[in-house]
Amino acid sequence: MAVRAAVAGASGYAGGELLRLLLGHPEVEIGALTGNTNAGRRLGALQPHLLPLADRVLRETTPDVLAGHDVVFLALPHGQSAAVAEQLGPDVLVVDMGADFRLKDSDDWETFYGSPHAGTWPYGLPELPGGRAALEGSKRVAVPGCYPTAVSLALVPAYAAGLVENEAVIVAASGASGAGKALKPHLLGSEVMGSMSPYGVGGGHRHTPEMSQNLTAAAGERVRVSFTPTLAPMARGILATCSAKAKDAVGADAVRAAYEKAYGDEPFVHLLPEGQWPATASVYGSNAVHIQVAHDEAAERVIVVSAIDNLTKGTAGGAVQSMNIALGLAETAGLSTIGVAP
Amino acid sequence: MAVRAAVAGASGYAGGELLRLLLGHPEVEIGALTGNTNAGRRLGALQPHLLPLADRVLRETTPDVLAGHDVVFLALPHGQSAAVAEQLGPDVLVVDMGADFRLKDSDDWETFYGSPHAGTWPYGLPELPGGRAALEGSKRVAVPGCYPTAVSLALVPAYAAGLVENEAVIVAASGASGAGKALKPHLLGSEVMGSMSPYGVGGGHRHTPEMSQNLTAAAGERVRVSFTPTLAPMARGILATCSAKAKDAVGADAVRAAYEKAYGDEPFVHLLPEGQWPATASVYGSNAVHIQVAHDEAAERVIVVSAIDNLTKGTAGGAVQSMNIALGLAETAGLSTIGVAP
Amino acid sequence: MAVRAAVAGASGYAGGELLRLLLGHPEVEIGALTGNTNAGRRLGALQPHLLPLADRVLRETTPDVLAGHDVVFLALPHGQSAAVAEQLGPDVLVVDMGADFRLKDSDDWETFYGSPHAGTWPYGLPELPGGRAALEGSKRVAVPGCYPTAVSLALVPAYAAGLVENEAVIVAASGASGAGKALKPHLLGSEVMGSMSPYGVGGGHRHTPEMSQNLTAAAGERVRVSFTPTLAPMARGILATCSAKAKDAVGADAVRAAYEKAYGDEPFVHLLPEGQWPATASVYGSNAVHIQVAHDEAAERVIVVSAIDNLTKGTAGGAVQSMNIALGLAETAGLSTIGVAP
Amino acid sequence: MAVRAAVAGASGYAGGELLRLLLGHPEVEIGALTGNTNAGRRLGALQPHLLPLADRVLRETTPDVLAGHDVVFLALPHGQSAAVAEQLGPDVLVVDMGADFRLKDSDDWETFYGSPHAGTWPYGLPELPGGRAALEGSKRVAVPGCYPTAVSLALVPAYAAGLVENEAVIVAASGASGAGKALKPHLLGSEVMGSMSPYGVGGGHRHTPEMSQNLTAAAGERVRVSFTPTLAPMARGILATCSAKAKDAVGADAVRAAYEKAYGDEPFVHLLPEGQWPATASVYGSNAVHIQVAHDEAAERVIVVSAIDNLTKGTAGGAVQSMNIALGLAETAGLSTIGVAP
C-alpha cells in the first residue's frame, strides 16, 4: 500500500525538488500540494519541469487539506512549521524542511532567529553517529540545512576520530537556488552570472550554530566554527572547503583511514580515490556526497572538501532519505547516487 | 532475463549520458564499456558522476569485447560505425548514435561528409509518421542528430498537415556538450561563458540534410531548410526556433489543432498550454520535448519553438527509446519526462 | 568647457552603463543623478562597480534637479519621458533611452504600447542612411531599442542595395540585462542560468515595429518582420540571426560587397573577415558591432549575423554616440571598439 | 614621446588583456607582438575583441623582434623568461608576467617548480609596504601571481598592524581564465559551467610560497598559509576569503582602522563601507580591488574578503601599474577603477 504524501510549499525550489524525487519513489503516492500565495495556480505554470503534475492545482495550507496523508512535508518559511505541525496530530509523519526544529539550544535559536524556540526534533542526517537510530520510527524529522549537511559530513569523521583541534574554518560556495525563489535584486540573473560574492560573513549566517552543534557532538567538546558562505554563479550545488588544525602526530594515513571507516558502508557518501577532488557537477540532481581529504604538512591542517546538490542531499533528498528510515522503507528508495553531468 | 548492453565510446558525453540512463533502466544490465584512447582507465576518472560504475575499466573497441551482448550502442566519431557494426553480426541489436546511417541520399552524405556512404538504417525518431513501425523488431537503428530531433518534432506536424510553405527557417541554440569533449579553443569555458556565437552558417552544418529529409517526407514535396546553429553558454539543451510561411487561409486554430492531434498521445512530446513557452531548463536531463506554436498574423508565418536536452532526447534518450521499441520493451522504460530544474 | 550631463534613472542597468561611459568621456562632467524609488540612496550601494561615483546620492527626478545641464539623459520606464522632456525646455539636449519617441507611426505605438503617442524624435542610429545628418545639432534624440540596433545594422545594407525580398526572419538572443532590474521570477539567476527560452513570439515584441520601420525605410517598400527574441544565460550581449530570401541573381559577392561598402568607413561597425563569425563576448562592454554575412545557395537566402553589447551600443553607447554628434563633438569620444574578453 | 612596448606571448589571455589596457594607455605605443605557436597568424583571429589590432600579425619571440622597445612584457610559460630577458640587455624595462622572478627563496622555487631558480626581481605590488620604492626606476619587474595579489592585499594590513596570529587560512575562487588557454578537459565549457571544484589542495599550489613570502615580510615573522584554490563557473574574477586568529584584545574597530589607514590613499584598493561585501562582477575589467573586513567575535578570527579581476589587477593591470611606476609615469595611467557590470 502506497505511502500518501502531502507537500506544503510546493511552488518553491525545495518543494519542486521534493516532488521530482517523490515522482520517482516506488512507494509514494503524491497527495495534496499547497502553496499559499500561489494557491489556485496550476503547478505546470510554476514548476514546468514536473510534467506529470502539470495539471495539479495548488491549494491553501490548511489542516483540512493536509489531513489524510501518511507523511506531510513542510517546505515553509522558517517560523511557520510549528503551527502547522501541531494541527496534524502525533500519528502522521511530519518532515520539516525548514529550520524550526534543528537546534537543540534555545539560546542559539533566539540569537540567530529572534523568535521563541519551537523545540527540537530528531535530526535528519542519518550518516551522523547514531543518526539512523534517532530517525527509526520517529513521527517528526527536522531536515538539516544545506550547508550543515555538506559541512558536517565533511568534518564529523575528523572530530569523531579526535584528529583535529576544536576550531574549524569553513568557506562554502552555493548555487543561487539555495536562496530560494525570493525576488531580491542580488539574486537576479544579471547579478549572479559571472560573479562570486560572500554574505553573512563573520559568524552571522544562521547555519553556523547548526554546524557547531553537529561538530561539538562528534568531538565531545565545544567546536567553534568560522563560516563564510559565498554565492556562486550556478543554479545548484554546494562546495564546502573545511579545515582544522591537525592534532600532534596526526598524519595523512590516519586521516584517510578515518574517512574510509566512517563512509565505507554509506550508500550516499563517497570518499573519492586519492588525487581526485569533488566537483558539484558530479552530484547534480543526485543524493550523493563526494568527499576528499588532504593533510597539509606545512600548514599542519586537515582539509576536507565536500560537494553536494543543495536541493537534493542538501534538502529534498535528505528529507526523503529520512522519511524512508522513519517509515521503515529501504533507505535508498527513490534516491540516486548518479549525477546529471555535464 | 535482463537485456545485456555494451557501450562503445563510453568516455564521451553521449556515452556518459547513455550509461546514466541505462543504470536506471529496469530491464538492462550494463556489459562491456570501451573507449579507444581511454582504454585501460577507470570510468570514475572520466565520468565521476556515474558512481555505480566508478570502478569499471574501459576496454578497447574490438569485436571480441563487444561480443555476447543483446544490444551494442555505438557512440563513435562519424565514419567508424560501419566497420564495427559489420563485425557484430545480424542478430545483435546495434544502435548507432553517430551520423553514419541517418541519411537516405548518398549524394547528401558525400557532400556533407566527404566519404563513401555506408548505408541507411531504420531511423530512431518514433514520433515521426510511421516511425514506430520502422523500429519494431529492427536489429539496426540510426539515432537522429540532436538538432534534427528538435527541429523535426517542431515542424513535421505543420508539414504533415499541409499548413506551411516548403521553405523553413531555423535558428537553434545548443549547449556546449553538443560539441562533445573535443579539445578545441572555442569550447574552453572562458570562451563559452557569457557568449553566444553562430557556426556553420549558410547551409554548411551537417544536420541540414537530415532535417530536410524528415520535413520533405512529411510534406510530400521537397522542403528547403535554412539552418543556423548557435553555441549558447550552457552545458546542455537545445532551443530550436522554427518558422515557415503559412499557407493561405491557415489560422492559429488550425495550427494548434494539428499539434494537439500529432502529440496528444505521445509520451515524451508535450505541447505546452497557450501562453507558456519552452525553456531548456525544464527538460534538463529528461527525455521530454516541450513545444509551443504561434501564428504570426502580420508576418503570415507559423512559428514553432521546441526545447530538448541534446544529450537525452537528442542523443542517448532517443537511443534508449528506440532500443525499447526494437526489443519490444515498454517504450518509456528507463526514461523520464521530468527535468532537473532549476 | 565641459559638457554638463544629468542622468534620470541612474540606478538601473542602462543608467549604470551610461555613467560608466560618461566617466571615461573626455568632454563630459557628470551632474545630477536621479532615481525615484532609490532617491536618497548612495550610488555605491546600487552600482558598486562605479567607484568614482560611490558617494553620490540619488535625487528625485524633478525639473529643478535636472535644470542647469547641457544634456539630460532619460533612462525611464516607457511613457514617462514626454512629461519630463517638456519641462526641460527646447535648448537643452534631451537624449531619451526609452521607447517613447522612436516610432513614426502613431498606430504602431498605440497597438504595441496601448497609450497615446508622444511624438517622434530624431533617431539615434547614425549608421543608417542619412542617420548622422538627422542628429547634427538636434536638441532631441530617441535612442534605438537594443534589438532594433542589432537587427537594423545587420539588414539595412541588404535592403538598401536591393538584394533581398521584403520579408525578414529574425531570431535574436539577449543577455538578461536587457530585461532590466525588474524583480520578476523568470529573471532570477536560478532560472536564467543553464536555460534558453523565447518570449514575445509571434510578433508581440514591442521592438518589431521599430525594426520594420528601419528596414522599410531602407528598402523603399514595406518590409515585414518575423521576430523571435530569446533569453540567453549571460548578463550582456545580443546575437541577432537575420535572414531574407535573396532576390534572383544575387550572389555571395554582391552581398559581401554591399556590406563592405556600407561599413567600410564606419568607426563602430565591423564586417568580419570571411570565415569568422561574431561572438557576443568580443563586443562585451564596447560600442562595436561585429557582423558577418552568408549567402546560402541551397536555401537561396542571405543570412546576416550581428553581435552587440545590448547595454553599450544597444543603449548607453548609442546614446553617447548620438550626443557626440548632436553636440558637434568627435563621434567616437568616450566610446571604445575594444571588448572585455574573455 | 611615446613609450614603445613589445608583448611576448600576445595570443594568450594575459597578453590579450595587456593589449586591451595598452590600447587605452595615453603614453604607450604598441610595438612588436610575438607568440611562438601562433607566429604568422592575424591577431584578429586570436583576440577578436581587440579590433584596432586585428590586422597585426604575430611574430616569433626572438631578440631581434623584441629589440628597439622601451619596455618588453613577457607573458610566457614559466621557466622561459630568464633566457629572453638576458638577451634584452640591462637598459630596457622588462616586465615579467610569469612566475620566474617572484620568489626570494631558491628552495621554495625548486620545491614548487622543480627547476633551478632564475633569480629575484623587484616585486610589482606597489601597495605593499615599501612596494613603490622598490619599483621606481627599476629595469626589471616581477608581476605577482593573481592569487597572491588578492590574498596579500587582503591580509598584509592585518599582519603589518600585528592584529592576527601567524597562521592564515585562505580559500579562493577563480574564473577559468586564470588557467589560461591550455586545452585541458576540465577547462571545457561543459565541465566548467554549473560546477565548483577545488584543485591543488593541501599546500600544493605554486602560489602558496609567494603568499607566505608577502605575509611573512609584513608580519616580521614566518606566516604559514593554508591555501585552497577553487575553479568557479565564470570567465574572470578572484574572490579570496582569508582569515586568521585574532590576537588577544583585538576588536572590530582596530581591524577596520588598520585597513582604513593602509588603503585610505591607495588609488586602486578600496575598503567598502561597512555592511557591503565585495563581488567579483564589480571589478570586472578594472584594476580595482574591493575589500571588506569582519571580526568574528565567537570564532575570534579576523576575516578579510577581497575581489579582483584576475586578468587585470591580478596580471596585466598590475603589470601596467608597475611599468608606470618604473618609468615615472602617472601610476594610474591607462588603468581604471570602474568595473564593467552587470
Side-chain angles (χ1 to χ4, degrees), chain B residues 13 179-188, chain D residues 182-188:
Chain B
Y13 291 144
K181 276 192 186 173
L183 295 177
K184 297 176 184 170
H186 76 285
L187 298 178
L188 285 174
Chain D
L183 294 177
K184 297 176 183 171
H186 76 285
L187 298 177
L188 285 174

Side-chain angles (χ1 to χ4, degrees), chain B residues 173-257:
Chain B
S174 173
S177 65
K181 276 192 186 173
L183 295 177
K184 297 176 184 170
H186 76 285
L187 298 178
L188 285 174
S190 299
E191 305 291 325
V192 172
M193 289 184 285
S195 197
M196 294 279 310
S197 57
Y199 58 103
V201 188
H205 195 282
R206 288 168 165 171
H207 285 176
T208 307
E210 188 182 343
M211 295 176 195
S212 183
Q213 172 177 293
N214 292 343
L215 302 183
T216 294
E221 61 173 339
R222 175 83 183 157
V223 175
R224 291 200 291 184
V225 167
S226 165
F227 172 54
T228 306
T230 65
L231 179 61
M234 56 190 189
R236 290 178 174 230
I238 286 178
L239 187 82
T241 302
C242 312
S243 71
K245 194 88 182 162
K247 288 193 176 168
D248 287 347
V250 166
D253 289 352
V255 175
R256 190 157 188 93

Side-chain angles (χ1 to χ4, degrees), chain B residues 299-311:
Chain B
E300 293 184 60
R301 292 185 78 86
V302 172
I303 301 158
V304 191
V305 182
S306 64
I308 65 168
D309 185 317
N310 59 304
L311 291 180

Side-chain angles (χ1 to χ4, degrees), chain A:
Chain A
M1 206 181 74
V3 171
R4 199 167 158 76
V7 178
S11 61
Y13 291 143
E17 181 72 352
L18 179 65
L19 290 171
R20 183 177 75 84
L21 298 175
L22 294 181
L23 280 165
H25 196 295
E27 313 279 352
V28 170
E29 178 187 308
I30 296 175
L33 307 181
T34 77
N36 279 348
T37 62
N38 287 304
R41 298 187 65 186
R42 287 178 70 248
L43 195 68
L46 298 161
Q47 310 272 21
H49 59 299
L50 302 176
L51 263 195
L53 299 173
D55 292 328
R56 287 290 198 91
V57 174
L58 293 189
R59 305 170 68 185
E60 295 208 8
T61 308
T62 66
D64 278 0
V65 168
L66 297 177
H69 296 84
D70 302 302
V71 54
V72 176
F73 291 93
L74 304 179
L76 304 171
H78 73 78
Q80 300 187 4
S81 296
V84 175
E86 270 174 27
Q87 298 171 312
L88 294 173
D91 295 331
V92 60
L93 172 57
V94 182
V95 180
D96 185 21
M97 297 159 79
D100 296 27
F101 298 97
R102 291 171 188 160
L103 296 183
K104 293 176 179 165
D105 186 316
S106 294
D107 289 347
D108 276 350
W109 175 271
E110 284 161 23
T111 299
F112 281 84
Y113 291 88
S115 60
H117 188 215
T120 310
W121 286 358
Y123 190 71
L125 197 54
E127 294 88 354
L128 292 186
R132 284 185 177 82
L135 294 168
E136 287 165 7
S138 175
K139 290 298 184 187
R140 294 291 183 272
V141 173
V143 179
C146 51
Y147 285 122
T149 295
V151 168
S152 301
L153 293 174
L155 283 179
V156 157
Y159 279 108
L163 302 177
V164 291
E165 302 288 351
N166 63 357
E167 299 188 336
V169 177
I170 296 148
V171 179
S174 173
S177 65
K181 276 192 185 172
L183 295 176
K184 298 175 182 170
H186 76 286
L187 297 178
L188 285 174
S190 299
E191 306 289 325
V192 172
M193 288 184 286
S195 196
M196 294 278 311
S197 57
Y199 58 102
V201 188
H205 195 282
R206 286 166 166 174
H207 285 176
T208 307
E210 187 182 344
M211 294 175 196
S212 182
Q213 172 176 295
N214 293 344
L215 302 184
T216 294
E221 62 174 337
R222 175 83 183 159
V223 175
R224 291 200 292 184
V225 167
S226 165
F227 172 54
T228 305
T230 64
L231 178 62
M234 56 190 188
R236 291 177 174 229
I238 285 179
L239 187 83
T241 302
C242 313
S243 71
K245 195 88 182 164
K247 287 193 177 169
D248 287 347
V250 166
D253 289 351
V255 174
R256 188 153 190 96
Y259 282 80
E260 285 174 346
K261 185 180 163 202
Y263 295 135
D265 295 329
E266 283 295 338
F268 294 112
V269 186
H270 181 69
L271 180 66
L272 292 167
E274 291 189 60
Q276 189 175 350
W277 287 89
T280 61
S282 298
V283 297
Y284 201 96
S286 96
N287 207 51
V289 183
H290 286 199
I291 286 186
Q292 185 55 288
V293 296
H295 179 264
D296 184 332
E297 283 185 34
E300 293 183 61
R301 292 185 79 86
V302 172
I303 302 160
V304 190
V305 182
S306 62
I308 65 169
D309 185 316
N310 59 303
L311 291 180
T312 320
K313 179 59 178 170
T315 306
V320 169
Q321 188 181 353
S322 294
M323 174 198 77
N324 287 341
I325 296 172
L327 294 178
L329 306 173
E331 184 174 334
T332 60
L335 298 169
S336 171
T337 59
I338 304 165
V340 183

Side-chain angles (χ1 to χ4, degrees), chain C residues 9-273:
Chain C
S11 60
Y13 290 144
E17 182 71 353
L18 179 65
L19 290 171
R20 184 177 76 83
L21 298 176
L22 294 181
L23 281 165
H25 196 296
E27 312 280 351
V28 171
E29 178 188 306
I30 297 175
L33 308 180
T34 77
N36 279 348
T37 62
N38 287 304
R41 298 187 65 187
R42 287 178 70 248
L43 195 68
L46 298 161
Q47 310 273 23
H49 60 300
L50 302 176
L51 263 194
L53 299 173
D55 292 328
R56 286 290 198 92
V57 174
L58 292 189
R59 305 171 67 184
E60 295 208 7
T61 307
T62 66
D64 279 0
V65 168
L66 297 177
H69 296 84
D70 302 301
V71 54
V72 176
F73 291 93
L74 304 180
L76 304 172
H78 72 79
Q80 300 188 4
S81 297
V84 175
E86 271 174 25
Q87 298 172 313
L88 295 174
D91 296 332
V92 61
L93 171 58
V94 183
V95 180
D96 185 20
M97 298 158 78
D100 296 28
F101 298 96
R102 293 171 188 160
L103 296 183
K104 294 177 180 164
D105 187 315
S106 293
D107 289 347
D108 276 351
W109 175 271
E110 284 161 23
T111 300
F112 280 85
Y113 292 88
S115 60
H117 188 215
T120 309
W121 286 358
Y123 190 70
L125 197 53
E127 293 87 355
L128 292 186
R132 282 185 179 82
L135 294 168
E136 285 164 9
S138 175
K139 289 298 184 188
R140 294 291 185 271
V141 174
V143 179
C146 50
Y147 285 122
T149 295
V151 168
S152 302
L153 294 173
L155 283 180
V156 158
Y159 280 108
L163 303 176
V164 290
E165 302 288 351
N166 63 355
E167 299 188 337
V169 177
I170 296 147
V171 179
S174 172
S177 65
K181 275 192 184 173
L183 295 177
K184 297 175 182 170
H186 76 285
L187 297 177
L188 285 174
S190 299
E191 306 290 325
V192 171
M193 288 184 285
S195 197
M196 294 280 310
S197 57
Y199 58 101
V201 187
H205 196 282
R206 287 167 165 172
H207 285 174
T208 308
E210 187 181 345
M211 295 175 196
S212 182
Q213 172 177 294
N214 293 344
L215 302 184
T216 294
E221 63 174 335
R222 175 85 184 156
V223 175
R224 291 200 292 183
V225 167
S226 165
F227 173 53
T228 306
T230 64
L231 178 62
M234 55 190 190
R236 291 177 173 231
I238 286 179
L239 187 83
T241 303
C242 312
S243 71
K245 195 88 182 163
K247 288 194 177 168
D248 287 347
V250 166
D253 290 349
V255 175
R256 189 156 189 94
Y259 282 79
E260 284 173 347
K261 185 180 164 204
Y263 295 135
D265 295 329
E266 282 296 338
F268 294 113
V269 186
H270 181 69
L271 179 66
L272 292 167

Side-chain angles (χ1 to χ4, degrees), chain B:
Chain B
M1 205 181 76
V3 171
R4 197 165 160 77
V7 178
S11 61
Y13 291 144
E17 181 71 353
L18 179 66
L19 289 172
R20 184 177 75 82
L21 298 175
L22 294 180
L23 280 165
H25 196 296
E27 313 280 350
V28 171
E29 180 187 306
I30 297 174
L33 308 180
T34 77
N36 280 348
T37 63
N38 288 303
R41 297 187 65 187
R42 288 178 68 248
L43 195 68
L46 298 161
Q47 310 272 21
H49 60 299
L50 301 176
L51 262 195
L53 299 173
D55 292 329
R56 287 288 198 93
V57 174
L58 292 189
R59 304 170 68 184
E60 295 209 8
T61 308
T62 67
D64 278 359
V65 169
L66 297 177
H69 296 84
D70 302 301
V71 54
V72 176
F73 292 93
L74 304 180
L76 304 171
H78 72 80
Q80 300 188 3
S81 297
V84 176
E86 269 172 29
Q87 299 171 311
L88 295 173
D91 295 331
V92 60
L93 172 57
V94 182
V95 180
D96 185 20
M97 298 158 77
D100 296 26
F101 299 96
R102 293 171 188 161
L103 295 183
K104 294 176 180 166
D105 186 316
S106 293
D107 289 347
D108 276 351
W109 175 269
E110 284 162 24
T111 300
F112 281 85
Y113 292 88
S115 60
H117 189 215
T120 309
W121 286 358
Y123 191 70
L125 197 53
E127 295 87 355
L128 293 186
R132 282 185 179 82
L135 294 167
E136 288 165 8
S138 175
K139 289 298 184 187
R140 294 291 185 271
V141 173
V143 178
C146 51
Y147 285 122
T149 295
V151 168
S152 301
L153 293 174
L155 283 181
V156 158
Y159 279 107
L163 304 176
V164 291
E165 302 288 352
N166 63 355
E167 298 188 337
V169 178
I170 295 148
V171 179
S174 173
S177 65
K181 276 192 186 173
L183 295 177
K184 297 176 184 170
H186 76 285
L187 298 178
L188 285 174
S190 299
E191 305 291 325
V192 172
M193 289 184 285
S195 197
M196 294 279 310
S197 57
Y199 58 103
V201 188
H205 195 282
R206 288 168 165 171
H207 285 176
T208 307
E210 188 182 343
M211 295 176 195
S212 183
Q213 172 177 293
N214 292 343
L215 302 183
T216 294
E221 61 173 339
R222 175 83 183 157
V223 175
R224 291 200 291 184
V225 167
S226 165
F227 172 54
T228 306
T230 65
L231 179 61
M234 56 190 189
R236 290 178 174 230
I238 286 178
L239 187 82
T241 302
C242 312
S243 71
K245 194 88 182 162
K247 288 193 176 168
D248 287 347
V250 166
D253 289 352
V255 175
R256 190 157 188 93
Y259 282 79
E260 285 174 346
K261 184 178 163 205
Y263 295 136
D265 296 328
E266 282 296 339
F268 294 114
V269 187
H270 181 70
L271 179 67
L272 291 167
E274 292 188 60
Q276 189 174 349
W277 287 87
T280 61
S282 297
V283 297
Y284 200 96
S286 96
N287 207 51
V289 184
H290 286 200
I291 287 186
Q292 184 55 288
V293 296
H295 179 264
D296 183 333
E297 285 186 32
E300 293 184 60
R301 292 185 78 86
V302 172
I303 301 158
V304 191
V305 182
S306 64
I308 65 168
D309 185 317
N310 59 304
L311 291 180
T312 320
K313 178 61 176 169
T315 306
V320 170
Q321 187 180 353
S322 294
M323 174 199 76
N324 287 340
I325 296 171
L327 294 177
L329 306 174
E331 184 175 333
T332 60
L335 298 169
S336 170
T337 60
I338 305 166
V340 183

